[in-house]
Amino acid sequence: MYHTDMLEIVTIGEEVLREKAKPIKSFGSELRILVDAMFESMEMDNGIGLAAPQIAVPKRMFVVHPPDDEARVFINPEIIETSQEVVSYEEGCLSVPGVFSEVVRPAGITIQAQDLEGKAFVLKAQGMLARVIQHENDHLNGILFVDRLPEERREQVMKIYEKKQKNKRRKKTV
């Protein structure tokens, strides 16, 4: 069973974030409880998306709730089409806390997935919803937003992240 106080969001360096997540085969009450806990944890950390690997559950599932849009669950998702048009937008990640960078992604996507009952659906998304879906879907394939950055920018972002983590640890020991 999952309880929200147990859902710790893992950060970069944890192996589960680099693994390819496994398909979900069982659609029942345990999955529903996990999804509810994921939404609660995501909102408590002011996130707009959360993938199961980010809570150390290597399953192909994520939840999203972008501003001005509805909360959605994607189980066993697959992006089946991307637009030719690309856009740049500043992204952050609950698993790489405290750092942000511009990431270029397709402006629109078509995704197929299953809902909580296991029913298949297809969704066309644009704008922020498309971006959040792509970001969370990357987590299911062991990809973090920093991996999408040019090498020089990725190194800068990771130095900023490491410095923030050092300062955080230093504050805890004082």
Side-chain angles (χ1 to χ4, degrees):
M1 288 296 223
Y2 300 95
H3 300 286
T4 38
D5 59 333
M6 292 172 48
L7 290 189
E8 182 183 332
I9 296 172
V10 297
T11 56
I12 192 165
E14 293 290 329
E15 207 172 289
V16 69
L17 292 174
R18 295 305 190 173
E19 295 171 5
K20 190 166 170 69
K22 306 277 186 274
I24 290 176
K25 294 182 172 85
S26 176
F27 295 81
S29 60
E30 192 173 320
L31 183 62
R32 192 173 306 278
I33 290 165
L34 175 60
V35 165
D36 288 345
M38 285 176 68
F39 272 117
E40 194 171 318
S41 292
M42 176 187 76
E43 287 162 10
M44 284 173 52
D45 278 350
N46 297 314
I48 58 173
L50 185 66
Q54 291 180 273
I55 54 161
V57 176
K59 298 288 185 182
R60 296 194 72 74
M61 172 180 79
F62 60 83
V63 299
V64 301
H65 194 183
D68 305 321
D69 206 331
E70 63 187 90
R72 302 172 198 261
V73 178
F74 295 83
I75 299 169
N76 299 323
E78 185 183 342
I79 294 174
I80 54 175
E81 193 178 332
T82 58
S83 67
Q84 295 276 324
E85 180 192 358
V86 295
V87 289
S88 180
Y89 191 84
E90 186 176 72
E91 290 187 24
C93 182
L94 296 175
S95 291
V96 192
V99 296
F100 302 88
S101 191
E102 293 283 322
V103 178
V104 176
R105 293 187 186 270
I109 55 124
T110 302
I111 187 169
Q112 66 183 21
Q114 291 170 281
D115 64 16
L116 272 171
E117 281 73 47
K119 186 173 173 253
F121 68 90
V122 174
L123 175 75
K124 285 185 178 294
Q126 294 287 322
M128 181 59 75
L129 179 58
R131 178 162 297 273
V132 176
I133 288 170
Q134 291 173 81
H135 177 109
E136 299 310 326
N137 196 69
D138 274 354
H139 278 297
L140 306 184
N141 297 309
I143 299 167
L144 298 172
F145 88 97
V146 294
D147 300 332
R148 299 253 180 228
L149 302 175
E151 189 176 343
E152 192 176 311
R153 179 65 183 144
R154 181 173 50 246
E155 288 171 6
Q156 290 171 338
V157 167
M158 291 312 298
K159 280 181 183 154
I160 293 166
Y161 172 74
E162 288 162 13
K163 187 175 182 181
K164 285 182 180 227
Q165 293 308 107
K166 242 184 236 164
N167 289 340
K168 195 192 275 183
R169 283 192 297 274
R170 195 172 294 134
K171 284 179 185 169
K172 284 183 182 175
T173 59
V174 174

